[in-house]
């Protein structure tokens, strides 16, 4: 009888809500409480049930600031989930505002490609983790589900704490660190426990992220806290080995933060209790004090850390060591890079007038921009900065004529070399297949930070997968084909973990040393599998060759076009 009364109250409440909000409003009942969403349209015009703003943890405010996430309280009335949130963040790109968002931001967003929700379905689930260098970003602006909801997939995204509020670490049990990553784990747990009520399959969850979001995805392969919460992952232009994905000496930054607010540094407790009393906006704004160039460098002064103390560690050792020793959550993984990753940050340097400063103070700034200031001596830093300019730009001034060489330098250091290393290392120790692709297709989509340069930009492969803010309502014919290719790729991977792209079988990365099988995507109809290409490390860098056939059919390894001297151009003409 009690159960009948409960059901009556629930359905009566639903009836009242439907009168107020519209008869078609989708409602899902979960153990935490009932959730009412709204209907939106996918890019292709499909009706989608959207549930936006579901709390997965208690608001991390007051005494919960700088603490690990706590379980959200259940709700009794129907939760109207039609609101989006942005976690508080420092932004120097928006001149009129230095702080955006709110401290109370731990909410997730669920999109179901159905007008009416049937809990007995078992749709594959994608969880997207947004990027933004661990200091900025939100699900709404960069991971809109419009494109991907044309497929039978449930799409989930979440907020997580950013910057100082999300990644402060005192390197002890007071604030071990990685609260932003632990927020993600909490959201993943909520999805695992509740997605079945939305018609999703809790045993088929795929993580996807781009840039720092891609690194977050990769971190979940290394964390014991994430084990069993997902089943495959896709990292677009970001891994745990990128130098910007790990903060060194985080307690030093915590103490410097304390000095800014005249906090006691005698104990970690005294420091943190003081910081809890500082308005969240002021704490967030203080991030600007840790940048010395372009309001962005050095990267990640507050980001993922190794937790040397704490009983609930997300990351308990160096990522390279964990990968090398095979201490991973062994699930299928896709990683990738695009051709001109280094347009971030070069495009912003151009747009905001920072290139002249970089030129004048090259030797001083480059160690901070490329992240070798902590691992080298002052003397070594000077030599490295000079050699890098000599190697990539022939020691010339930065001009429009060699801007692509500068982009190549930033591509290699910030993304490509470490991306290849991560793919190779994980392939060697994993039993599950690991895949890698290289993307060099020019999108027709307008992107401001490309600064009118002809580049395949960092994030372009994610931009064609997700309906970002600013994307046109109708794509060009070529971009439409590329979008469909990526949507199909993700759907196949989320469904089975195996891949065939436009009839081309995608084979996993080889376990052999100095070998990297990868998919080369240069157009909707220009896709080829580069099979186990020869990769040789020389004193000047890696050389990627190809296989050819001799006259009699013998396989030979060809390395064509290796520079053995500087180009004899300009002032070097007629010189030895």
């Amino acid at each position: 009888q009690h159960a009948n009364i409960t059901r009556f109250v629930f359905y009566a409440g639903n009836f009242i809500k439907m009168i107020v909000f519209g008869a078609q409003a989708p409602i899902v009942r979960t153990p935490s409480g009932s959730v009412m969403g709204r209907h939106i349209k996918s890019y292709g015009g499909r009706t989608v049930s959207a549930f936006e703003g579901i709390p997965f943890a208690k608001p991390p405010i007051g005494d919960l600031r700088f603490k690990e996430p706590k379980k959200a309280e259940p709700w009794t009335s129907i939760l109207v989930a039609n609101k989006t949130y942005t976690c508080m963040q420092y932004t120097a790109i928006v001149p009129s505002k230095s702080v955006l968002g709110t401290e109370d931001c731990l909410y997730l967003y669920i999109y179901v490609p159905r007008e009416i929700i049937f809990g007995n379905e078992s749709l594959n689930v994608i969880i997207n983790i947004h990027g933004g260098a661990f200091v900025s970003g939100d699900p709404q602006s960069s991971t809109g589900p419009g494109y991907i909801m044309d497929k039978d997939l449930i799409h989930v995204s979440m907020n997580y704490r950013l910057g100082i509020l999300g990644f402060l670490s005192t390197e002890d049990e007071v604030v071990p660190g990685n609260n932003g990553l632990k927020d993600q784990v909490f959201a993943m747990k909520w999805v695992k426990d509740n997605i079945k009520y939305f018609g999703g399959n809790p045993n088929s969850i795929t993580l996807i992220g781009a840039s720092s979001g891609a690194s977050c995805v990769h971190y979940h392969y290394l964390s014991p806290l994430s084990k069993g919460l997902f089943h495959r992952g896709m990292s677009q232009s970001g891994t745990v080995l990128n130098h910007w994905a790990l903060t060194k000496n985080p307690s030093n930054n915590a103490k410097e933060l304390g000095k800014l607010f005249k906090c006691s540094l005698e104990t970690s407790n005294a420091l943190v209790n003081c910081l809890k009393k500082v308005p969240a906006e002021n704490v967030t704004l203080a991030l600007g004090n840790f940048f010395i160039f372009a309001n962005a460098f050095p990267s990640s002064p507050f980001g993922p850390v190794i937790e040397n103390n704490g009983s609930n560690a997300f990351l308990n050792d160096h990522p390279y060591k964990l990968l090398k020793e095979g201490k991973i959550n062994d699930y299928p993984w896709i990683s990738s890079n695009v051709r001109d990753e280094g347009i971030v940050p070069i495009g912003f340097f151009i747009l905001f007038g920072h290139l002249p400063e970089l030129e004048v103070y090259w030797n001083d700034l480059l160690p901070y921009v490329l992240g070798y200031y902590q691992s080298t001596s002052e003397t070594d830093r000077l030599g490295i900065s000079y050699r890098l300019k000599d190697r990539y730009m022939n020691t010339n001034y930065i001009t429009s004529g060699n801007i692509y060489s500068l982009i190549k330098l930033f591509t290699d250091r910030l993304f490509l070399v470490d991306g290849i290393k991560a793919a190779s290392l994980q392939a060697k120790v994993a039993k599950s297949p690991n895949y890698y692709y290289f993307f060099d297709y020019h999108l027709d989509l307008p992107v401001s930070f490309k600064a009118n340069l002809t580049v395949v930009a960092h994030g372009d492969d994610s931009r064609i997968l997700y309906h970002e803010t600013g994307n046109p309502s109708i794509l060009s014919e070529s971009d439409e084909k590329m979008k469909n290719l990526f949507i199909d790729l993700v759907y196949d991977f989320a469904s089975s973990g195996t891949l065939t792209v436009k009839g081309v079988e995608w084979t996993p990365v080889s376990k052999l040393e100095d070998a990297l099988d990868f998919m080369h995507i240069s157009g909707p109809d220009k896709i080829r599998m580069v099979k186990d290409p020869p990769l040789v490390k020389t004193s000047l860098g890696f050389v990627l060759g190809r296989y050819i056939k001799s006259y009699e059919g013998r396989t030979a390894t060809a390395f064509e076009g290796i520079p053995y001297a500087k180009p004899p151009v300009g002032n070097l003409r007629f010189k030895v």
Side-chain angles (χ1 to χ4, degrees), residues 70-145:
K70 307 297 181 185
K71 187 175 181 180
E73 298 289 346
W75 51 91
T76 53
S77 60
I78 294 179
L79 174 71
V80 180
N82 61 0
K83 184 178 180 181
T84 60
Y85 298 80
T86 296
C87 281
M88 190 169 287
Q89 55 195 263
Y90 172 83
T91 173
I93 295 178
V94 183
S96 60
K97 284 189 176 182
S98 296
V99 175
L100 297 174
T102 175
E103 193 174 10
D104 175 7
C105 65
L106 298 185
Y107 299 87
L108 52 79
Y109 311 87
I110 300 175
Y111 301 90
V112 185
R114 298 286 186 269
E115 185 171 359
I116 301 173
I117 305 296
F118 296 101
N120 60 353
E121 284 199 88
S122 192
L123 298 173
N124 297 302
V125 180
I126 286 176
I127 300 178
N128 184 277
I129 303 174
H130 73 77
F134 308 109
V135 300
S136 64
D138 63 75
Q140 294 75 47
S141 61
S142 61
T143 59

Side-chain angles (χ1 to χ4, degrees), residues 94-250:
V94 183
S96 60
K97 284 189 176 182
S98 296
V99 175
L100 297 174
T102 175
E103 193 174 10
D104 175 7
C105 65
L106 298 185
Y107 299 87
L108 52 79
Y109 311 87
I110 300 175
Y111 301 90
V112 185
R114 298 286 186 269
E115 185 171 359
I116 301 173
I117 305 296
F118 296 101
N120 60 353
E121 284 199 88
S122 192
L123 298 173
N124 297 302
V125 180
I126 286 176
I127 300 178
N128 184 277
I129 303 174
H130 73 77
F134 308 109
V135 300
S136 64
D138 63 75
Q140 294 75 47
S141 61
S142 61
T143 59
Y147 298 155
I148 210 163
M149 294 317 299
D150 283 326
K151 286 287 188 179
D152 270 355
L153 293 167
I154 289 181
H155 182 270
V156 182
S157 57
M158 90 281 277
N159 300 109
Y160 57 95
R161 283 172 284 178
L162 302 165
I164 295 170
L165 294 173
F167 291 94
L168 179 80
S169 172
T170 55
E171 291 192 83
D172 55 26
E173 70 283 353
V174 177
V175 183
N178 294 327
N179 283 331
L181 291 166
K182 292 171 185 176
D183 292 343
Q184 296 171 18
V185 171
F186 237 64
M188 290 159 61
K189 284 181 179 177
W190 197 97
V191 172
K192 179 79 172 176
D193 293 340
N194 292 278
I195 202 65
K196 63 183 178 182
Y197 303 107
F198 295 83
N201 183 356
N203 297 313
S204 181
I205 297 174
T206 301
L207 302 183
I208 295 181
S211 196
S212 62
S215 295
C216 290
V217 169
H218 199 196
Y219 267 120
H220 289 295
Y221 280 81
L222 304 186
S223 177
L225 303 186
S226 308
K227 187 173 183 179
L229 298 180
F230 71 106
H231 307 91
R232 58 196 74 84
M234 182 173 176
S235 296
Q236 296 178 296
S237 299
T239 74
V240 297
L241 295 189
N242 294 111
H243 84 84
W244 43 261
L246 187 69
T247 298
K248 288 82 174 175
N249 305 316

